[in-house]
């Protein structure tokens, strides 16, 4: 049953009995929800703005922006017309980029950069006035990230690696506005999170290891057009953005006054396609 085509929630009717005593009145069962379940998968290509920068020298010229892809799966369970719970797992994989250059003292130089991260979101959803197309969410987000940056010249490699977990609260909203009496709708979603984590960091030639605690901030949103193909299946296409702060904090390698560093606050964006079903 589509969230668009019919009312999602069915309330049982109770016949009137004005002459009956209170003790004779039937007990009203809790509201029934139909369908109970929502499942979706989505994904698409992504591009990351503001990747790498150099200070002290220009050994590599202009850097290419990193690109990659993401994929997500969501399961939602309705408890009643007003409340539900939902879990979403998302993976983001950016392609490793590399480059070669030249330094008068160190000769040929090269670099590689890589970043991958995953999130798990568990939240409760509130539907104002029992409207299944408008959802306010609040819950927790878990983030796992792996970050690497390396630089190599005649004197050997210098490497920065960081991997760890962060956890914290997340709030947001999800909405769909149907376009007249058509099978199409406008979808808009936005959320924000504050995450507190600990990361294992290896620096230089992997002979220095430290633990680093940091706070990561995130804002993200998407907008798209949905098509309710039938009472069960919905397809959505649109554009998605994610802004992170401190996701790659301290990602840098230094060598005799030269520093190669990655942007601490990357912006990721790209188109997406979502397929959802209710049952």
């Amino acid at each position: 049953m589509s969230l668009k085509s019919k009312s999602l929630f069915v309330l049982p009717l109770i016949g009137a009995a004005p002459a009956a005593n209170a003790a004779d009145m039937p007990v009203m069962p809790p509201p029934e929800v139909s369908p109970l379940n929502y499942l979706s998968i989505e994904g698409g290509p992504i591009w990351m703005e503001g990747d790498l920068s150099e200070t002290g020298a220009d050994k590599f010229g202009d850097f290419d922006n990193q690109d990659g892809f993401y994929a997500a799966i969501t399961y939602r369970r309705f408890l009643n017309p007003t409340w539900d719970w939902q879990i979403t797992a998302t993976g983001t994989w950016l392609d490793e980029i590399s480059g070669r250059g030249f330094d008068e003292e160190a000769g040929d130089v090269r670099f590689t950069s890589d970043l991958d991260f995953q999130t798990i979101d568990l939240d409760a959803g509130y539907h104002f006035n029992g409207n299944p197309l408008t959802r306010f969410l609040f819950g927790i987000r878990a983030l796992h990230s792996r970050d690497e940056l390396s630089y190599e010249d005649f004197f050997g490699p210098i490497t920065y690696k960081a991997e760890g977990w962060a956890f914290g609260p997340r709030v947001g909203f999800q909405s769909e506005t149907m376009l007249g009496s058509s099978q199409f709708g406008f979808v808009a979603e936005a959320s924000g999170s504050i995450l507190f984590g600990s990361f294992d960091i290896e620096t230089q030639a992997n002979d220095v290891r430290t633990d680093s605690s940091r706070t990561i901030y995130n804002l993200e949103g998407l907008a798209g057009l949905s098509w309710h193909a039938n009472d069960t299946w919905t397809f959505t296409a649109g554009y998605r953005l994610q802004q992170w702060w401190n996701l790659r904090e301290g990602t840098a390698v230094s060598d005799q006054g030269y520093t190669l560093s990655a942007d601490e606050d990357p912006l990721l964006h790209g188109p997406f396609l979502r397929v959802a079903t209710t049952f």
Side-chain angles (χ1 to χ4, degrees):
M1 180 181 294
S2 158
L3 297 188
K4 169 260 179 187
S5 59
K6 298 182 181 178
S7 176
L8 180 67
F9 308 114
V10 179
L11 301 180
L13 300 177
I14 299 177
N21 296 326
D24 297 328
M25 293 294 291
V27 177
M28 184 175 181
E32 297 179 1
V33 184
S34 178
L36 284 172
N37 306 286
Y38 168 91
L39 180 66
S40 72
I41 58 172
E42 67 180 76
I46 55 173
W47 298 275
M48 185 169 72
E49 300 292 338
D51 293 340
L52 302 174
S53 61
E54 299 173 287
T55 58
D58 184 1
K59 300 183 179 182
F60 297 103
D62 295 333
F63 294 98
D64 295 330
N65 286 338
Q66 286 185 256
D67 55 21
F69 70 97
Y70 90 99
I73 183 170
T74 295
Y75 172 75
R76 185 188 306 165
R77 175 79 174 186
F78 287 92
L79 304 175
N80 55 51
T82 304
W83 291 97
D84 66 46
W85 66 267
Q86 177 174 288
I87 185 169
T88 300
T90 305
T92 301
W93 298 271
L94 290 159
D95 296 335
E96 180 181 273
I97 63 170
S98 60
R100 303 173 69 94
F102 180 78
D103 181 83
E104 293 183 357
E105 296 182 359
D108 290 333
V109 293
R110 65 183 65 187
F111 79 89
T112 59
S113 176
D114 194 22
L115 171 67
D116 301 317
F117 61 92
Q118 301 81 40
T119 58
I120 299 175
D121 298 316
L122 179 62
D123 56 69
Y126 174 72
H127 301 268
F128 185 70
N129 287 335
N131 181 2
L133 301 183
T134 301
R135 182 176 188 266
F136 298 91
L137 65 92
F138 53 93
I140 58 174
R141 164 168 283 187
L143 165 73
H144 172 264
S145 71
R146 185 184 63 83
D147 185 9
E148 182 174 349
L149 178 64
S150 66
Y151 167 86
E152 184 176 359
D153 59 19
F154 174 80
F155 302 103
I158 303 173
T159 303
Y160 171 100
K161 295 181 180 179
E163 185 172 4
W165 288 86
F167 304 86
R170 174 175 174 262
V171 296
F173 76 89
Q174 300 168 308
S175 69
E176 181 178 13
T177 302
M178 298 308 300
L179 303 180
S181 59
S182 72
Q183 295 177 276
F184 296 91
F186 175 74
V187 174
E189 301 179 9
S191 67
S193 59
I194 303 176
L195 311 177
F196 308 92
S198 178
F199 296 82
D200 182 30
I201 297 177
E202 298 180 20
T203 56
Q204 301 304 316
N206 296 335
D207 56 356
V208 178
R209 174 172 292 185
T210 59
D211 290 326
S212 173
S213 298
R214 69 177 186 261
T215 303
I216 300 172
Y217 305 90
N218 163 253
L219 288 175
E220 60 188 75
L222 61 82
L225 183 68
S226 63
W227 172 48
H228 294 258
N230 52 43
D231 288 350
T232 302
W233 294 94
T234 302
F235 301 85
T236 304
Y239 209 82
R240 173 177 177 265
L241 295 95
Q242 280 191 315
Q243 177 66 63
W244 293 89
W245 290 272
N246 292 336
L247 182 63
R248 306 184 78 179
E249 182 181 15
T251 309
V253 293
S254 299
D255 181 35
Q256 299 180 354
Y258 170 80
T259 300
L260 176 66
S261 59
D263 187 2
E264 299 176 359
D265 310 322
L267 171 65
L268 292 82
H269 60 93
F272 75 92
L273 177 64
R274 175 186 296 166
V275 180
T277 184
T278 55
F279 56 96

